[in-house]
Amino acid sequence: MKKQILVTGGAGYIGSHTVVELVAQGYEVVIVDNLSNSERSALDGISKICGFYPPFEEIDLTDYQATEHLFQKYNFVAIIHFAAYKAVGESVQKPLAYYRNNLVSLINLLELMNKYGVDNMVFSSSCTVYGQPEKLPVSESAPIQKAMSPYGNTKQISEEIIQDAIVAMPQLKAIALRYFNPIGAHESALIGELPRGVPNNLVPFITQTAIGVREYLRVFGSDYNTPDGTCIRDYIHVVDLAKAHIIAMKRLLENKNKSSFEFFNLGTGKGATVLEVIKSFEKVSGQKLNYKLVERRPGDIEKIWADTTLANQELGWKAEKTLDDAMLSAWRWEQHYRSTLQKKQ
Ligand code: UD1
C-alpha cells in the first residue's frame, strides 16, 4: 500500500498551499477538513493547480471514531496538523469551543498515531507563544509568556501536550513551526486566504477594501513606539511558509531531527509596520487605499519579528519572497476570487 501524508485543515489557508507543494514534490496527500472555516471551493483551486483532486475526507477530528476510521483506511507516514480555530478575538468570546476543538483534535491524533504506528507530526504553532518579547528579533529560546488569549493558550498547551506525549511514546517525533504573519497567495491566484465574514487580519482587510467590499481600513494605533507609530509584524509569504512544512516533514521522515521535538520560527527576519504594508500594497496594485488611523486594538502587541537563524541553519530554509511579492499575490487572489463569485451569480 502506498504511503500517504495526512494534511489536517488541508482546505484552509496554509493547509491548501502546503497540499499543492506536497503534490508538486511527488507526495501522496490525504486532506482532512471539517470545512468549519474553509470552503469546498478551495479543493477546486487545489485540483486546478495539481491536475487532480487529492483524496478529501470531511471529518471533524474531535470525533475519535471518525478519525480512527481514517487511520484504518489509509497508511499515513506523517501528519501535518493545521486544523484548528485561529481567531484571537473570537477565542475570548468562545474559550471552551477553542479548547475543545484545538486540544481534543490534537489528543485524538496523538492517540491514534500511537495506536497505528504513525511517528511523525509537523505541528502548526504560532509566534503568539512569545507574547511581547523583551529581545528582538525573537529566537526559539525566548521565554514563553503567558498567553494573551485562549487561542494563544491552545497553541502553548498543544506544544506541551506534544512534549509530554513524546516522553511516553518514544517513537513519536514532532516539529512545531511557529509562524509569524502569513500573507499572500499562490501565484496562480487559484487558492488564497478566504476569511468568512469581516476579516480580522490586516491583508485580507486591505484587499477587500481596495476591491470595494469594505469602506475603509482602520489602522489600529498610531502612537506605538515604532518609526511611524504603527505596529510591526514579520509578514511571510504563505508559499515560503508552505515549503518549510515539507522540509520539516522530510527531516522527520529521514530521521535528521536532532531531538524528538524541535521548534522553528518561520518568518522573514524583517519587520514591517502597518503603514509599510499599506504602501507596499498601493505600489504593487496601483490602487490608493482608503484608511483611517484609529485607536489601538486591545491585545495587540507593539512589535515582533523573527530570528530565523535556526530555521536557516537547521532546515536550510529561508523566506525568498518579498513583502511586495506577497501583497501582489494577495491582490491578484482577491481579484480572481471576486470575479469567480460574480460569474456564479
Ligand atoms: C495575531 C497573532 C498570530 C495569530 C493571528 C491570528 C501575534 C503576534 N500574532 O496576529 O499569532 O495567528 O493573530 O489571527 O500575537 N491591523 C490593522 N487593521 C486591521 C487589522 C489589523 O491595523 O483591520 C493591524 C494590527 O493591529 C496588527 C497588524 O495589522 O498590527 C497585523 O494584524 P493581524 O493580521 O490581525 O495579525 P496579528 O494580530 O499580528
Side-chain angles (χ1 to χ4, degrees):
M1 208 210 270
K2 280 218 160 170
K3 293 184 166 140
Q4 289 112 352
I5 312 299
L6 171 61
V7 181
T8 76
Y13 176 41
I14 308 170
S16 58
H17 288 81
T18 303
V19 166
V20 302
E21 290 303 322
L22 282 164
V23 170
Q25 294 193 35
Y27 289 98
E28 258 196 51
V29 177
V30 177
I31 299 173
V32 168
D33 207 300
N34 66 0
L35 301 178
S36 67
N37 194 29
S38 53
E39 305 289 339
R40 210 172 269 277
S41 63
L43 302 169
D44 300 331
I46 290 173
S47 80
K48 284 191 186 130
I49 298 167
C50 298
F52 66 96
Y53 280 87
F56 167 63
E57 302 281 352
E58 190 174 339
I59 283 175
D60 190 323
L61 296 166
T62 61
D63 179 341
Y64 183 86
Q65 277 174 348
T67 310
E68 176 153 35
H69 181 67
L70 191 73
F71 278 73
Q72 288 164 344
K73 184 168 171 188
Y74 299 98
N75 188 17
F76 300 128
V77 285
I79 298 180
I80 307 184
H81 181 39
F82 293 104
Y85 293 158
K86 62 167 186 180
V88 174
E90 185 187 57
S91 78
V92 178
Q93 306 302 320
K94 300 178 182 170
L96 301 182
Y98 269 68
Y99 287 116
R100 183 189 297 280
N101 186 57
N102 293 5
L103 302 182
V104 174
S105 58
L106 174 67
I107 293 166
N108 283 347
L109 283 175
L110 290 168
E111 280 184 345
L112 289 162
M113 288 171 78
N114 194 35
K115 187 164 173 188
Y116 289 86
V118 184
D119 296 341
N120 306 296
M121 175 182 267
V122 177
F123 177 70
S124 189
S125 190
S126 168
C127 71
T128 194
V129 300
Y130 301 121
Q132 174 61 68
E134 278 174 20
K135 231 178 86 196
L136 286 167
V138 62
S139 76
E140 290 80 354
S141 55
I144 301 297
Q145 305 219 36
K146 186 172 164 34
M148 308 254 280
S149 68
Y151 157 76
N153 209 19
T154 68
K155 291 296 173 192
Q156 291 189 4
I157 298 171
S158 293
E159 288 191 357
E160 288 172 359
I161 289 174
I162 296 170
Q163 183 82 72
D164 291 345
I166 281 175
V167 173
M169 296 154 52
Q171 77 291 354
L172 184 66
K173 292 171 281 162
I175 292 179
L177 299 176
R178 293 175 177 162
Y179 314 148
F180 284 68
N181 286 58
I183 59 166
H186 193 261
E187 59 175 5
S188 64
L190 292 167
I191 52 173
E193 191 169 3
L194 251 184
R196 287 206 165 151
V198 182
N200 293 307
N201 295 112
L202 178 63
V203 173
F205 209 106
I206 290 178
T207 55
Q208 287 195 9
T209 303
I211 209 133
V213 178
R214 312 277 155 214
E215 201 187 335
Y216 63 90
L217 170 79
R218 288 176 301 156
V219 174
F220 296 132
S222 51
D223 57 352
Y224 285 102
N225 182 23
T226 61
D228 63 23
T230 63
C231 290
I232 297 179
R233 297 286 184 275
D234 185 337
Y235 295 93
I236 172 159
H237 197 300
V238 67
V239 172
D240 278 331
L241 193 70
K243 287 180 175 159
H245 289 75
I246 291 120
I247 296 171
M249 185 195 74
K250 272 196 202 156
R251 181 176 172 91
L252 293 174
L253 289 173
E254 293 167 6
N255 287 311
K256 291 197 172 136
N257 51 307
K258 293 201 170 143
S259 66
S260 350
F261 194 18
E262 295 181 308
F263 307 84
F264 295 104
N265 284 344
L266 296 184
T268 63
K270 278 208 309 234
T273 66
V274 177
L275 293 180
E276 283 167 347
V277 174
I278 293 172
K279 269 193 211 108
S280 164
F281 174 77
E282 290 184 330
K283 183 172 101 187
V284 299
S285 67
Q287 306 280 313
K288 191 97 199 77
L289 191 78
N290 195 10
Y291 69 87
K292 291 185 185 161
L293 305 179
V294 302
E295 290 298 293
R296 292 181 177 198
R297 181 171 69 175
D300 263 339
I301 60 159
E302 185 168 86
K303 48 190 159 193
I304 188 166
W305 62 94
D307 183 336
T308 59
T309 313
L310 196 67
N312 297 164
Q313 287 177 354
E314 284 297 319
L315 299 179
W317 170 91
K318 205 169 185 304
E320 283 165 3
K321 294 177 186 285
T322 63
L323 180 61
D324 286 352
D325 295 335
M327 295 311 289
L328 181 60
S329 68
W331 178 228
R332 288 205 177 122
W333 156 246
E334 184 73 57
Q335 291 170 298
H336 177 266
Y337 178 66
R338 296 293 154 189
S339 73
T340 48
L341 272 188
Q342 267 176 354
K343 275 183 212 146
K344 276 187 198 154
Q345 281 163 3

PDB file of all heavy atoms in Angstrom, residues 53-74:
ATOM      1  N   TYR A  53      -7.947  15.880  -8.090  1.00  0.00           N
ATOM      2  CA  TYR A  53      -8.390  16.125  -6.717  1.00  0.00           C
ATOM      3  C   TYR A  53      -7.703  15.152  -5.765  1.00  0.00           C
ATOM      4  O   TYR A  53      -7.940  13.944  -5.850  1.00  0.00           O
ATOM      5  CB  TYR A  53      -9.903  15.902  -6.592  1.00  0.00           C
ATOM      6  CG  TYR A  53     -10.742  17.053  -7.081  1.00  0.00           C
ATOM      7  CD1 TYR A  53     -11.105  17.154  -8.423  1.00  0.00           C
ATOM      8  CD2 TYR A  53     -11.172  18.048  -6.209  1.00  0.00           C
ATOM      9  CE1 TYR A  53     -11.879  18.221  -8.883  1.00  0.00           C
ATOM     10  CE2 TYR A  53     -11.941  19.115  -6.657  1.00  0.00           C
ATOM     11  CZ  TYR A  53     -12.292  19.190  -7.997  1.00  0.00           C
ATOM     12  OH  TYR A  53     -13.041  20.241  -8.438  1.00  0.00           O
ATOM     13  N   PRO A  54      -6.860  15.623  -4.863  1.00  0.00           N
ATOM     14  CA  PRO A  54      -6.327  14.695  -3.852  1.00  0.00           C
ATOM     15  C   PRO A  54      -7.485  14.174  -2.997  1.00  0.00           C
ATOM     16  O   PRO A  54      -8.499  14.864  -2.848  1.00  0.00           O
ATOM     17  CB  PRO A  54      -5.401  15.583  -3.006  1.00  0.00           C
ATOM     18  CG  PRO A  54      -5.153  16.804  -3.822  1.00  0.00           C
ATOM     19  CD  PRO A  54      -6.358  16.993  -4.694  1.00  0.00           C
ATOM     20  N   PRO A  55      -7.364  12.950  -2.463  1.00  0.00           N
ATOM     21  CA  PRO A  55      -8.438  12.418  -1.634  1.00  0.00           C
ATOM     22  C   PRO A  55      -8.806  13.397  -0.520  1.00  0.00           C
ATOM     23  O   PRO A  55      -7.922  13.971   0.111  1.00  0.00           O
ATOM     24  CB  PRO A  55      -7.838  11.145  -1.031  1.00  0.00           C
ATOM     25  CG  PRO A  55      -6.658  10.817  -1.852  1.00  0.00           C
ATOM     26  CD  PRO A  55      -6.214  12.051  -2.559  1.00  0.00           C
ATOM     27  N   PHE A  56     -10.112  13.594  -0.343  1.00  0.00           N
ATOM     28  CA  PHE A  56     -10.589  14.527   0.670  1.00  0.00           C
ATOM     29  C   PHE A  56     -11.579  13.829   1.594  1.00  0.00           C
ATOM     30  O   PHE A  56     -12.485  13.152   1.128  1.00  0.00           O
ATOM     31  CB  PHE A  56     -11.270  15.723  -0.005  1.00  0.00           C
ATOM     32  CG  PHE A  56     -12.059  16.565   0.966  1.00  0.00           C
ATOM     33  CD1 PHE A  56     -11.417  17.230   2.007  1.00  0.00           C
ATOM     34  CD2 PHE A  56     -13.443  16.676   0.856  1.00  0.00           C
ATOM     35  CE1 PHE A  56     -12.135  17.994   2.916  1.00  0.00           C
ATOM     36  CE2 PHE A  56     -14.165  17.439   1.756  1.00  0.00           C
ATOM     37  CZ  PHE A  56     -13.510  18.098   2.792  1.00  0.00           C
ATOM     38  N   GLU A  57     -11.396  13.966   2.882  1.00  0.00           N
ATOM     39  CA  GLU A  57     -12.310  13.380   3.872  1.00  0.00           C
ATOM     40  C   GLU A  57     -12.870  14.503   4.728  1.00  0.00           C
ATOM     41  O   GLU A  57     -12.110  15.229   5.377  1.00  0.00           O
ATOM     42  CB  GLU A  57     -11.561  12.382   4.772  1.00  0.00           C
ATOM     43  CG  GLU A  57     -10.880  11.250   4.030  1.00  0.00           C
ATOM     44  CD  GLU A  57     -11.834  10.134   3.603  1.00  0.00           C
ATOM     45  OE1 GLU A  57     -13.017  10.165   4.011  1.00  0.00           O
ATOM     46  OE2 GLU A  57     -11.384   9.255   2.844  1.00  0.00           O
ATOM     47  N   GLU A  58     -14.200  14.630   4.714  1.00  0.00           N
ATOM     48  CA  GLU A  58     -14.824  15.689   5.532  1.00  0.00           C
ATOM     49  C   GLU A  58     -15.074  15.127   6.931  1.00  0.00           C
ATOM     50  O   GLU A  58     -16.091  14.490   7.199  1.00  0.00           O
ATOM     51  CB  GLU A  58     -16.131  16.146   4.888  1.00  0.00           C
ATOM     52  CG  GLU A  58     -16.682  17.380   5.565  1.00  0.00           C
ATOM     53  CD  GLU A  58     -17.903  17.945   4.868  1.00  0.00           C
ATOM     54  OE1 GLU A  58     -18.117  17.648   3.669  1.00  0.00           O
ATOM     55  OE2 GLU A  58     -18.656  18.672   5.535  1.00  0.00           O
ATOM     56  N   ILE A  59     -14.095  15.332   7.778  1.00  0.00           N
ATOM     57  CA  ILE A  59     -14.141  14.723   9.105  1.00  0.00           C
ATOM     58  C   ILE A  59     -13.824  15.769  10.149  1.00  0.00           C
ATOM     59  O   ILE A  59     -12.981  16.647   9.951  1.00  0.00           O
ATOM     60  CB  ILE A  59     -13.105  13.563   9.175  1.00  0.00           C
ATOM     61  CG1 ILE A  59     -13.661  12.339   8.451  1.00  0.00           C
ATOM     62  CG2 ILE A  59     -12.758  13.210  10.624  1.00  0.00           C
ATOM     63  CD1 ILE A  59     -12.669  11.208   8.370  1.00  0.00           C
ATOM     64  N   ASP A  60     -14.522  15.653  11.283  1.00  0.00           N
ATOM     65  CA  ASP A  60     -14.199  16.504  12.425  1.00  0.00           C
ATOM     66  C   ASP A  60     -13.259  15.709  13.327  1.00  0.00           C
ATOM     67  O   ASP A  60     -13.615  14.640  13.825  1.00  0.00           O
ATOM     68  CB  ASP A  60     -15.500  16.856  13.169  1.00  0.00           C
ATOM     69  CG  ASP A  60     -15.262  17.919  14.209  1.00  0.00           C
ATOM     70  OD1 ASP A  60     -14.189  17.905  14.855  1.00  0.00           O
ATOM     71  OD2 ASP A  60     -16.151  18.771  14.369  1.00  0.00           O
ATOM     72  N   LEU A  61     -12.071  16.239  13.526  1.00  0.00           N
ATOM     73  CA  LEU A  61     -11.049  15.476  14.255  1.00  0.00           C
ATOM     74  C   LEU A  61     -11.352  15.356  15.748  1.00  0.00           C
ATOM     75  O   LEU A  61     -10.675  14.599  16.452  1.00  0.00           O
ATOM     76  CB  LEU A  61      -9.668  16.117  14.055  1.00  0.00           C
ATOM     77  CG  LEU A  61      -9.161  16.099  12.608  1.00  0.00           C
ATOM     78  CD1 LEU A  61      -7.974  17.044  12.465  1.00  0.00           C
ATOM     79  CD2 LEU A  61      -8.760  14.690  12.178  1.00  0.00           C
ATOM     80  N   THR A  62     -12.357  16.091  16.219  1.00  0.00           N
ATOM     81  CA  THR A  62     -12.738  15.886  17.624  1.00  0.00           C
ATOM     82  C   THR A  62     -13.587  14.616  17.750  1.00  0.00           C
ATOM     83  O   THR A  62     -13.856  14.160  18.849  1.00  0.00           O
ATOM     84  CB  THR A  62     -13.524  17.092  18.203  1.00  0.00           C
ATOM     85  OG1 THR A  62     -14.716  17.263  17.448  1.00  0.00           O
ATOM     86  CG2 THR A  62     -12.694  18.361  18.159  1.00  0.00           C
ATOM     87  N   ASP A  63     -14.011  14.067  16.620  1.00  0.00           N
ATOM     88  CA  ASP A  63     -14.784  12.810  16.600  1.00  0.00           C
ATOM     89  C   ASP A  63     -13.767  11.650  16.519  1.00  0.00           C
ATOM     90  O   ASP A  63     -13.208  11.365  15.456  1.00  0.00           O
ATOM     91  CB  ASP A  63     -15.717  12.845  15.378  1.00  0.00           C
ATOM     92  CG  ASP A  63     -16.548  11.580  15.231  1.00  0.00           C
ATOM     93  OD1 ASP A  63     -16.192  10.534  15.820  1.00  0.00           O
ATOM     94  OD2 ASP A  63     -17.556  11.638  14.503  1.00  0.00           O
ATOM     95  N   TYR A  64     -13.549  11.005  17.650  1.00  0.00           N
ATOM     96  CA  TYR A  64     -12.497   9.983  17.730  1.00  0.00           C
ATOM     97  C   TYR A  64     -12.759   8.840  16.747  1.00  0.00           C
ATOM     98  O   TYR A  64     -11.850   8.380  16.045  1.00  0.00           O
ATOM     99  CB  TYR A  64     -12.384   9.447  19.166  1.00  0.00           C
ATOM    100  CG  TYR A  64     -11.265   8.441  19.346  1.00  0.00           C
ATOM    101  CD1 TYR A  64      -9.963   8.861  19.624  1.00  0.00           C
ATOM    102  CD2 TYR A  64     -11.493   7.065  19.210  1.00  0.00           C
ATOM    103  CE1 TYR A  64      -8.921   7.952  19.777  1.00  0.00           C
ATOM    104  CE2 TYR A  64     -10.466   6.148  19.362  1.00  0.00           C
ATOM    105  CZ  TYR A  64      -9.177   6.593  19.638  1.00  0.00           C
ATOM    106  OH  TYR A  64      -8.152   5.693  19.782  1.00  0.00           O
ATOM    107  N   GLN A  65     -14.023   8.389  16.712  1.00  0.00           N
ATOM    108  CA  GLN A  65     -14.319   7.223  15.860  1.00  0.00           C
ATOM    109  C   GLN A  65     -14.104   7.521  14.381  1.00  0.00           C
ATOM    110  O   GLN A  65     -13.539   6.713  13.646  1.00  0.00           O
ATOM    111  CB  GLN A  65     -15.750   6.759  16.100  1.00  0.00           C
ATOM    112  CG  GLN A  65     -15.804   5.863  17.329  1.00  0.00           C
ATOM    113  CD  GLN A  65     -17.212   5.473  17.705  1.00  0.00           C
ATOM    114  OE1 GLN A  65     -18.174   6.041  17.183  1.00  0.00           O
ATOM    115  NE2 GLN A  65     -17.326   4.529  18.618  1.00  0.00           N
ATOM    116  N   ALA A  66     -14.593   8.699  13.971  1.00  0.00           N
ATOM    117  CA  ALA A  66     -14.416   9.081  12.559  1.00  0.00           C
ATOM    118  C   ALA A  66     -12.925   9.196  12.241  1.00  0.00           C
ATOM    119  O   ALA A  66     -12.470   8.799  11.164  1.00  0.00           O
ATOM    120  CB  ALA A  66     -15.115  10.403  12.285  1.00  0.00           C
ATOM    121  N   THR A  67     -12.166   9.718  13.195  1.00  0.00           N
ATOM    122  CA  THR A  67     -10.731   9.892  12.963  1.00  0.00           C
ATOM    123  C   THR A  67     -10.037   8.531  12.929  1.00  0.00           C
ATOM    124  O   THR A  67      -9.140   8.294  12.118  1.00  0.00           O
ATOM    125  CB  THR A  67     -10.125  10.822  14.048  1.00  0.00           C
ATOM    126  OG1 THR A  67     -10.939  11.993  14.128  1.00  0.00           O
ATOM    127  CG2 THR A  67      -8.706  11.235  13.710  1.00  0.00           C
ATOM    128  N   GLU A  68     -10.494   7.620  13.790  1.00  0.00           N
ATOM    129  CA  GLU A  68      -9.886   6.283  13.771  1.00  0.00           C
ATOM    130  C   GLU A  68     -10.155   5.582  12.431  1.00  0.00           C
ATOM    131  O   GLU A  68      -9.279   4.921  11.874  1.00  0.00           O
ATOM    132  CB  GLU A  68     -10.430   5.416  14.921  1.00  0.00           C
ATOM    133  CG  GLU A  68      -9.869   3.985  14.847  1.00  0.00           C
ATOM    134  CD  GLU A  68      -9.795   3.281  16.176  1.00  0.00           C
ATOM    135  OE1 GLU A  68     -10.692   3.507  17.011  1.00  0.00           O
ATOM    136  OE2 GLU A  68      -8.838   2.486  16.372  1.00  0.00           O
ATOM    137  N   HIS A  69     -11.346   5.804  11.914  1.00  0.00           N
ATOM    138  CA  HIS A  69     -11.696   5.205  10.626  1.00  0.00           C
ATOM    139  C   HIS A  69     -10.696   5.646   9.535  1.00  0.00           C
ATOM    140  O   HIS A  69     -10.293   4.862   8.680  1.00  0.00           O
ATOM    141  CB  HIS A  69     -13.130   5.602  10.268  1.00  0.00           C
ATOM    142  CG  HIS A  69     -13.584   5.008   8.976  1.00  0.00           C
ATOM    143  ND1 HIS A  69     -13.764   3.662   8.800  1.00  0.00           N
ATOM    144  CD2 HIS A  69     -13.843   5.580   7.771  1.00  0.00           C
ATOM    145  CE1 HIS A  69     -14.121   3.425   7.548  1.00  0.00           C
ATOM    146  NE2 HIS A  69     -14.178   4.571   6.902  1.00  0.00           N
ATOM    147  N   LEU A  70     -10.314   6.893   9.643  1.00  0.00           N
ATOM    148  CA  LEU A  70      -9.346   7.460   8.695  1.00  0.00           C
ATOM    149  C   LEU A  70      -7.994   6.727   8.779  1.00  0.00           C
ATOM    150  O   LEU A  70      -7.365   6.413   7.766  1.00  0.00           O
ATOM    151  CB  LEU A  70      -9.166   8.916   9.108  1.00  0.00           C
ATOM    152  CG  LEU A  70      -8.448   9.873   8.222  1.00  0.00           C
ATOM    153  CD1 LEU A  70      -9.332  10.199   7.030  1.00  0.00           C
ATOM    154  CD2 LEU A  70      -8.172  11.159   9.017  1.00  0.00           C
ATOM    155  N   PHE A  71      -7.561   6.473   9.994  1.00  0.00           N
ATOM    156  CA  PHE A  71      -6.282   5.776  10.190  1.00  0.00           C
ATOM    157  C   PHE A  71      -6.363   4.332   9.686  1.00  0.00           C
ATOM    158  O   PHE A  71      -5.351   3.750   9.297  1.00  0.00           O
ATOM    159  CB  PHE A  71      -5.876   5.797  11.672  1.00  0.00           C
ATOM    160  CG  PHE A  71      -5.198   7.071  12.098  1.00  0.00           C
ATOM    161  CD1 PHE A  71      -5.930   8.241  12.245  1.00  0.00           C
ATOM    162  CD2 PHE A  71      -3.827   7.114  12.344  1.00  0.00           C
ATOM    163  CE1 PHE A  71      -5.325   9.432  12.631  1.00  0.00           C
ATOM    164  CE2 PHE A  71      -3.204   8.299  12.735  1.00  0.00           C
ATOM    165  CZ  PHE A  71      -3.959   9.452  12.876  1.00  0.00           C
ATOM    166  N   GLN A  72      -7.572   3.757   9.721  1.00  0.00           N
ATOM    167  CA  GLN A  72      -7.732   2.382   9.229  1.00  0.00           C
ATOM    168  C   GLN A  72      -7.737   2.356   7.702  1.00  0.00           C
ATOM    169  O   GLN A  72      -7.247   1.423   7.078  1.00  0.00           O
ATOM    170  CB  GLN A  72      -9.039   1.788   9.769  1.00  0.00           C
ATOM    171  CG  GLN A  72      -8.952   1.491  11.251  1.00  0.00           C
ATOM    172  CD  GLN A  72     -10.321   1.284  11.899  1.00  0.00           C
ATOM    173  OE1 GLN A  72     -11.359   1.644  11.342  1.00  0.00           O
ATOM    174  NE2 GLN A  72     -10.330   0.722  13.105  1.00  0.00           N
ATOM    175  N   LYS A  73      -8.305   3.416   7.133  1.00  0.00           N
ATOM    176  CA  LYS A  73      -8.465   3.450   5.675  1.00  0.00           C
ATOM    177  C   LYS A  73      -7.147   3.724   4.944  1.00  0.00           C
ATOM    178  O   LYS A  73      -6.912   3.209   3.858  1.00  0.00           O
ATOM    179  CB  LYS A  73      -9.495   4.539   5.330  1.00  0.00           C
ATOM    180  CG  LYS A  73      -9.859   4.641   3.875  1.00  0.00           C
ATOM    181  CD  LYS A  73     -11.086   5.536   3.697  1.00  0.00           C
ATOM    182  CE  LYS A  73     -11.341   5.831   2.234  1.00  0.00           C
ATOM    183  NZ  LYS A  73     -12.404   6.829   2.073  1.00  0.00           N
ATOM    184  N   TYR A  74      -6.303   4.569   5.536  1.00  0.00           N
ATOM    185  CA  TYR A  74      -5.057   4.967   4.865  1.00  0.00           C
ATOM    186  C   TYR A  74      -3.835   4.472   5.630  1.00  0.00           C
ATOM    187  O   TYR A  74      -3.947   3.984   6.749  1.00  0.00           O
ATOM    188  CB  TYR A  74      -4.998   6.498   4.734  1.00  0.00           C
ATOM    189  CG  TYR A  74      -6.127   7.084   3.912  1.00  0.00           C
ATOM    190  CD1 TYR A  74      -7.256   7.619   4.540  1.00  0.00           C
ATOM    191  CD2 TYR A  74      -6.076   7.092   2.526  1.00  0.00           C
ATOM    192  CE1 TYR A  74      -8.295   8.162   3.793  1.00  0.00           C
ATOM    193  CE2 TYR A  74      -7.110   7.641   1.771  1.00  0.00           C
ATOM    194  CZ  TYR A  74      -8.217   8.170   2.415  1.00  0.00           C
ATOM    195  OH  TYR A  74      -9.231   8.706   1.660  1.00  0.00           O
TER     196      TYR A  74
END
